[in-house]
Amino acid sequence: MSQPFIKMKKFFFSLLFVAFVVGCSDDSSEDNSSTDNFDRQAMLVNWADNLIIPSYTSFQGEVEVLKNASETFTENPTQEHLEALRAVYQEAYLAFQHVSMYEIGPAETVNYRGFINTYPTDAEGIENTIASDSYNLELPSNRNIQGFPALDYLLYGLAESDAELLAVYSTNPNADAYKNYLTNVSQRILDLTGAVLTEWNNNYRDTFVNNTSSSNTGSVDRFTNDFIIYYEKYLRSGKVGIPAGAFSGTVQPTKVESYYHPSFSKELLKEALLATQNFFNGQSAGNSTNGASFKTYLDYLDSMKDGEQLSSLINDRFENSFQKINELDASLLQQIETDNNKMLETFDALQSNVILLKIDMLQALSISVDYVDSDGD
Amino acid sequence: MRKRIETYLQKNTSAAPLAVFRIFFGLMMLISIIRFWSKGWIEKLYIQPNFFFSYYGFEWVQPIGNYTYLIFAICAISALLIALGYKYRLSIILFFLSFTYIELMDKTTYLNHYYFISILSFLMIFLPAANYFSMDAKRQPEKAFQYIPNWTIDSIKLLIGIVYFYAGLAKANSDWLFRAMPLKIWLPANYDLPFLGDLLQQEYIHYFFSWFGFIYDLSIPFLMFYRPTRKLGFFLIVVFHLATRILFPIGMFPYIMIVSALIFFNYKFHEKILTFITNLFSIDASVFNTGKTLKFAVFSKKVRLAVLSLFFAVQILFPWRYFLYPGELFWTEEGFRFSWRVMLMEKAGYVQFKVKDTQTGKWFYVDNSDFLTSFQEKQMSFQPDFILQYAHYLADHFKSQGHRNLAIYVESYVALNGRRSQPYINPDVNLLEYEDSFQHKTFILPFTDEIKGL
């Protein structure tokens, strides 16, 4: 059936139904009906205009800096330029943690997260690709030889010492190929980001905020599912659970994010958790005021019930997770090798919020967790 | 009393209502199956998954790969033949068997509506639905009867009456009536409906819908049996089911119930429908109007009445079986299915399975999406029999991978009707020490709140 037809049908039935309900209910109390109805579009607007688009914009800025720094470095591979490049790489990687969860619309179409942050990266694959000097980074099969994990390898993992690493980019007979690859990987992140941001700035923003439908194709439903998938699979499992061996029984050091520069791994985890918490609270970057968000939506729905506020419980668990993370070594690689229990405790702390987000929040928002459209009773 | 029953069983009436019911039933089923097929649900629900949740005792009922389509095809063709009244007895038996087989393949998809169709088609095996206005009656004039025993039509009315009445009784609980749950969760989510969207945010509307639904379900059988209120009853049925159609993803069921309710109207109304069909397709209906009355042979009648008595005794008693279990029915779901408990719960859960080697103490969590579809995972997460069956499946899987000394523990949380999530399964229990049965499952943790009522 076509959309307009469904709409017409819904409209018609609604008319019939309103006639019925109004006919049967007493009249007096309807005047304030629209004022206390939570405005989902306002939430979508806040998400798009104050969180998603600014995060992409600022990330794009960081990636431009990154790309310039990598050009400066390849033109003149000195220790100084290497350190400058590493610094902006870290800034960009941190900024990426603020957009990684937005895998919807244009990002979903281009498989944004998959191309930019698939780890562990394939070091051998990278070496072979550089040696062959012919590659197409747009191929889905090449996801694990690009993005930040590839830069991690190229900037930290190529050699034991900085001097040897600089040699790869300067005196090595194949130095040009390494330089090209480094530039191409940075450029690829910039291209992907540009494509996604342009789409958000042109059409997708309106599509997103206007799709206020309550069905499982509506923006609130779809994005909420994406948000929870991100938190559960990419943050909880990817950054903590999988390296800690929660799903395999033995620790998996190679699966730590930022494996070649492990002392950066905890910072990435913290940044990602902060980004999800800010999103939950509707708090935009550099802005202390919170807009319409999951938090305000839940508070609105909670106001109809007694008892504690779900949003405070969720924020408590965010804080609890931060506490657990703070106890970890800056290098999660170090942490799993010395005292993996602390890592597993962090996993449990993160997990406790999966329960509130996935069960309590989804139930409160009446959002279905599965994507199979099937009939109900 | 006995005499009254005997007189009642002798009464005859026009065969038109049952013929109309048969035609509409067949057509609706045909449409339902085509709809199911065209949405790709056969593939999604019965071909793609690696594992299926079986009903206790029906583990042998499994999808048969691509041949599963054949079962649906048989079901669709028999539905069409039922509508046409062609080899009715065979068709309705085939329909009952194929439809029931489909429903038994995976209890993930359990819906009260599907159960209704199963038992209704079982009932129809014993009813003379194709002796009038059917291809059978046309082909074999000796089997054409214009009048049939009254009780054959009344048995369908009784079944429909039981469904509504029990659905009403099930709503007699404190969550539904005094907390307006789960409607308070579901209705506001329809915020995008024109006009209604804002209204559905109002608490008094949630209570109104709850109480209306409760009184509606309980009174529909009486409104429909009693002639002066029948039109009002039917009007309410239409409004109610169309409303559920708008507000909830409920598929074909509202239409099936609306059309089924037509059986309560008297034969004149049904004869008009048949006249309309006659004119539409230029059918020669004279062969059907034989003036003859169907009289079952003594033995045949005895068998039919015995089966129907037993059938209805089961229907009336079965929904009460939950009294045999301790604990809150909505929480344990022991005795929840097959009882017309429709739309009573908003329940969701999260289960993390921990596979442990009892010798070494080593453990790991299972990623449920490796084994289950998201739909299966969702259904599994709050139903203890699913959780237990899945635990055994996981054990078999990891055994075949060479793991030994297995124990399976779960950490699980369930939220019911807007309450905060709370622990569901005892996390200290190795589920492999339990086999599925009709016994109470002692590994379910107690519900910390109370729901009063039936």
Side-chain angles (χ1 to χ4, degrees), chain A residues 160-357:
Chain A
E160 290 293 317
S161 69
D162 285 2
E164 288 170 78
L165 191 136
L166 286 169
V168 175
Y169 291 99
S170 47
T171 54
N172 183 320
N174 212 9
D176 282 347
Y178 279 92
K179 288 180 191 170
N180 285 338
Y181 197 74
L182 181 64
T183 314
N184 289 339
V185 169
S186 310
Q187 182 66 46
R188 171 87 176 126
I189 298 175
L190 189 58
D191 291 346
L192 282 164
T193 308
V196 170
L197 183 56
T198 307
E199 193 53 32
W200 269 99
N201 281 329
N202 288 348
N203 307 314
Y204 190 69
R205 185 259 176 210
D206 289 345
T207 312
F208 182 76
V209 303
N210 289 326
N211 187 0
T212 54
S213 157
S214 65
S215 73
N216 55 8
T217 55
S219 292
V220 175
D221 255 53
R222 287 201 40 216
F223 185 77
T224 305
N225 269 296
D226 290 339
F227 175 76
I228 289 173
I229 287 173
Y230 172 76
Y231 180 82
E232 185 183 2
K233 304 255 176 205
Y234 294 89
L235 201 160
R236 178 204 67 148
S237 297
K239 293 181 197 291
V240 181
I242 291 171
F247 300 96
S248 53
T250 43
V251 295
Q252 300 193 289
T254 57
K255 298 201 170 160
V256 171
E257 193 175 22
S258 185
Y259 172 72
Y260 297 100
H261 178 44
S263 61
F264 186 47
S265 49
K266 180 169 110 171
E267 218 176 322
L268 289 173
L269 169 62
K270 263 179 94 167
E271 197 70 15
L273 189 62
L274 182 68
T276 50
Q277 189 185 16
N278 284 347
F279 187 84
F280 175 83
N281 289 319
Q283 189 175 332
S284 43
N287 194 343
S288 54
T289 52
N290 300 356
S293 62
F294 284 134
K295 180 184 182 300
T296 56
Y297 195 175
L298 287 174
D299 291 347
Y300 159 74
L301 292 165
D302 263 345
S303 62
M304 289 196 259
K305 294 178 224 142
D306 315 323
E308 54 208 326
Q309 296 230 310
L310 179 57
S311 64
S312 336
L313 282 176
I314 291 175
N315 273 316
D316 286 350
R317 293 195 182 178
F318 271 120
E319 294 311 326
N320 186 37
S321 300
F322 278 120
Q323 276 177 21
K324 291 286 174 196
I325 293 173
N326 284 337
E327 291 171 24
L328 300 177
D329 193 281
S331 159
L332 300 183
L333 185 63
Q334 181 74 23
Q335 188 65 54
I336 61 176
E337 280 168 353
T338 51
D339 183 5
N340 191 42
N341 274 339
K342 280 205 171 137
M343 203 58 177
L344 290 171
E345 281 172 21
T346 308
F347 177 81
D348 287 342
L350 292 168
Q351 163 66 18
S352 72
N353 233 357
V354 174
I355 289 155
L356 289 187
L357 293 172

Side-chain angles (χ1 to χ4, degrees), chain A residues 216 368 370 372-377, chain B residues 32 35-36 39 41 45 103 107-117 182 186 240-241 243-257 336 340-347 375 378-379 382-383:
Chain A
N216 55 8
S368 164
D370 68 284
V372 182
D373 61 330
S374 59
D375 292 340
D377 252 333
Chain B
S32 300
R35 171 177 174 271
F36 199 92
K39 284 181 172 255
W41 288 350
L45 299 174
E103 292 325 310
K107 64 185 171 187
T108 306
T109 59
Y110 170 80
L111 291 182
N112 287 289
H113 315 154
Y114 294 147
Y115 172 57
F116 174 68
I117 300 300
W186 291 340
F240 178 85
H241 285 293
T244 60
R245 181 73 186 86
I246 305 168
L247 296 172
F248 310 111
I250 209 164
M252 287 290 292
F253 188 67
Y255 307 117
I256 293 172
M257 285 316 271
F336 191 84
W340 315 119
R341 297 178 193 283
V342 189
M343 312 213 76
L344 290 178
M345 297 195 302
E346 168 60 41
K347 199 177 178 191
F375 186 37
K378 176 187 167 188
Q379 295 289 351
F382 57 83
Q383 302 188 65

Side-chain angles (χ1 to χ4, degrees), chain A residues 37 214 232 246 308 360 373 376-377, chain B residues 41 189 198 249 350 365 420-421:
Chain A
N37 183 358
S214 65
E232 185 183 2
E308 54 208 326
D360 300 61
D373 61 330
D377 252 333
Chain B
W41 288 350
D198 289 342
Y350 188 85
Y365 290 124
R420 293 279 173 259
S421 57

